[in-house]
């Protein structure tokens, strides 16, 4: 009697499977590493979508992105496992039914312990729609913030993007006088040799099934953010 052949171990060069924060029949939530684009850009190169097939877990098709994170932002990223799930997730994000909280370490910081930033935005260059500017005639944008700690001339913020504009948190912090540490576009960080963008998609609350409790996921800070967070009072 021969024993059954072992299941092949999927090739996972980016270590995505251990980075899963949640998995069910409809949804995956992945702790995306900083520095990895989620989709192809003008410069090409490796992206997250190149590796999604290994996250099928027996389903006939690979999961797909329900929303996006910037290349340099780490943390919670939602994937739909089939078409109906993607349709449901798309509506939830469009309606603002998903609660997203980000952590950022910023240079300086707001005077108040909590507040709102309301700065309208528009693309700086129509050919590069991701590059934004403050524009009173642009799309309205709202960010809520709370100061979680301060130290070493910096602040540790919890940010909630009520609207979901491109680069909203980065532009709102910079225009408010406290750019995110490591921001090479809206801040003063050098493009080479800088500290890296200190922005983490910290948590998600996803009420996917109204008959069940909401899915809650939380991503740990990446190693590159730990020193600055500790300087502001974070205890690992």
């Amino acid at each position: 009697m021969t024993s059954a052949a072992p299941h092949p171990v999927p090739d996972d060069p980016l270590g995505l499977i251990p980075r899963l924060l949640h998995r069910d029949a409809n949804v995956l939530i992945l702790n995306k590493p900083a520095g990895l684009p989620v989709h192809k850009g003008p410069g090409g190169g490796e992206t997250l979508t190149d590796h999604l097939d290994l996250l099928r877990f027996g389903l006939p098709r690979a999961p797909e992105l329900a929303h996006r994170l910037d290349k340099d932002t780490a943390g919670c990223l939602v994937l739909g496992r089939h078409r109906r799930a993607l349709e449901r997730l798309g509506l939830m994000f469009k309606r603002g039914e998903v609660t997203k909280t980000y952590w950022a370490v910023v240079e300086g910081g707001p005077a108040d312990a909590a507040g709102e930033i309301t700065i309208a935005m528009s693309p700086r260059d129509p050919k590069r729609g991701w590059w934004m500017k403050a524009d009173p005639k642009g799309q309205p944008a709202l960010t809520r913030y709370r100061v979680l700690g301060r130290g070493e001339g910096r602040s540790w913020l919890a940010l909630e993007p009520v609207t979901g504009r491109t680069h909203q948190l980065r532009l709102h912090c910079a225009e408010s006088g406290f750019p995110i540490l490591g921001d090479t576009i809206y801040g003063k960080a050098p493009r080479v040799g800088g500290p890296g963008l200190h922005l983490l998609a910290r948590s998600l609350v996803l009420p996917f099934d109204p008959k069940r409790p909401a899915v809650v996921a939380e991503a740990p800070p990446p190693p590159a953010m730990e020193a600055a967070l500790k300087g502001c009072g974070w205890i690992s």
Side-chain angles (χ1 to χ4, degrees):
M1 181 176 180
T2 59
S3 60
H7 292 290
V9 177
D11 184 19
D12 185 11
L14 300 182
L16 296 181
I17 292 175
R19 299 183 70 92
L20 282 173
L21 302 170
H22 174 81
R23 169 183 163 189
D24 63 32
N26 300 300
V27 173
L28 302 176
I29 302 179
L30 178 70
N31 177 18
K32 185 190 86 67
L36 179 66
V38 296
H39 56 81
K40 294 288 185 187
E46 185 177 45
T47 71
L48 176 63
T49 53
D50 296 330
H51 299 271
L52 292 182
D53 193 60
L54 66 89
L55 300 179
R56 289 192 297 118
F57 298 114
L59 293 190
R61 56 182 287 176
E64 296 182 31
L65 302 170
H67 64 125
R68 296 178 179 179
L69 288 180
D70 292 346
K71 171 185 173 182
D72 295 321
T73 302
C76 297
L77 180 69
V78 180
L79 308 171
R81 300 194 66 193
H82 50 79
R83 191 169 304 280
R84 289 182 64 186
L86 284 163
E87 291 173 355
R88 167 88 173 120
L89 290 166
L91 285 174
M92 292 179 70
F93 278 99
K94 184 177 181 180
R95 295 169 177 169
E97 296 171 356
V98 181
T99 301
K100 298 178 287 182
T101 301
Y102 289 71
W103 279 5
V105 178
V106 300
E107 300 176 23
D112 297 329
E116 295 184 345
I117 304 170
T118 54
I119 299 175
M121 310 167 56
S122 68
R124 184 178 295 274
D125 182 346
K127 296 181 181 179
R128 292 190 286 178
W130 54 266
W131 190 16
M132 306 301 286
K133 66 179 180 180
D135 181 358
K137 298 180 180 179
Q139 292 182 309
L142 169 61
T143 299
R144 296 192 178 108
Y145 69 84
R146 289 182 294 115
V147 177
L148 301 179
R150 300 183 193 265
E152 301 178 349
R154 298 167 178 160
S155 299
W156 162 29
L157 304 182
L159 301 168
E160 181 186 344
V162 180
T163 49
R165 312 299 180 202
T166 300
H167 285 186
Q168 175 177 319
L169 300 180
R170 297 169 69 173
L171 181 73
H172 273 186
C173 287
E175 288 290 324
S176 299
F178 41 90
I180 297 174
L181 180 64
D183 195 335
T184 60
I185 298 174
Y186 304 99
K188 300 177 181 179
R191 292 190 176 274
V192 179
L197 185 68
H198 279 49
L199 181 62
L200 169 70
R202 170 63 171 173
S203 64
L204 278 166
V205 179
L206 184 72
F208 184 86
D209 186 340
K211 297 180 181 179
R212 297 182 178 180
V215 174
V216 179
E218 187 174 272
M225 284 183 64
E226 287 187 358
L229 283 169
K230 288 178 180 176
C232 293
W234 175 68
I235 300 174
S236 59

